[in-house]
Amino acid sequence: QVQLVESGGGLVQPGGSLRLSCAASGSIFVINAMGWYRQAPGKERELVATITAGGSTNYPDSVKGRFTISIDNAKDTVYLQMNSLKPEDTAVYYCTADLSDYEGRQDYWGQGTQVTISS
């Protein structure tokens, strides 16, 4: 059984920074990519950032230049450094992993961590 455990969420003032972490554990053969999505109240879940095991990244324009995703393949952990945070970044942030385990290649999701940007 694979688990993704997120940490690092919280309350921060506009302009501040937060770093999210997500560690994958369990019977993992290989991680192909990891990423972060977010969902604000009343809105659909949206992409925040993705990274392949080889280090290729993808960001939407809304976070480009402010957020940085990185991966530690040795630790099966993905990080999201968020700078210059805005109130509209407030959401539950979900970690996701595209990986292969005993059941084949599939996507896993974490439980989510709340990020609140407010003065």
Side-chain angles (χ1 to χ4, degrees), residues 35-55:
W36 293 92
Y37 284 71
R38 67 186 180 187
Q39 188 167 20
K43 295 187 177 181
E44 294 186 353
R45 191 171 296 190
E46 63 176 1
L47 171 70
V48 176
T50 60
I51 186 168
T52 67

Side-chain angles (χ1 to χ4, degrees), residues 8 10 19 23 28-29 41 54 60 72 105 117 119:
R19 189 190 193 213
I28 300 169
F29 290 166
D72 185 334
R105 184 171 180 172
I117 314 304
S119 55

Side-chain angles (χ1 to χ4, degrees), residues 92-116:
V92 177
Y93 283 69
Y94 296 91
C95 171
T96 183
D98 166 8
L99 57 83
S100 297
D101 59 11
Y102 286 108
E103 297 182 357
R105 184 171 180 172
Q106 54 190 320
D107 294 331
Y108 285 89
W109 291 83
Q111 80 286 354
T113 185
Q114 178 69 47
V115 171
T116 302

Side-chain angles (χ1 to χ4, degrees), residues 24-83:
S25 63
S27 303
I28 300 169
F29 290 166
V30 63
I31 292 179
N32 303 296
M34 298 186 78
W36 293 92
Y37 284 71
R38 67 186 180 187
Q39 188 167 20
K43 295 187 177 181
E44 294 186 353
R45 191 171 296 190
E46 63 176 1
L47 171 70
V48 176
T50 60
I51 186 168
T52 67
S56 297
T57 59
N58 180 48
Y59 305 94
D61 289 342
S62 58
V63 307
K64 197 173 293 183
R66 300 189 298 122
F67 291 9
T68 302
I69 190 170
S70 59
I71 192 168
D72 185 334
N73 291 311
K75 296 182 178 179
D76 290 339
T77 298
V78 65
Y79 306 95
L80 184 69
Q81 178 66 43
M82 304 185 292
N83 299 328

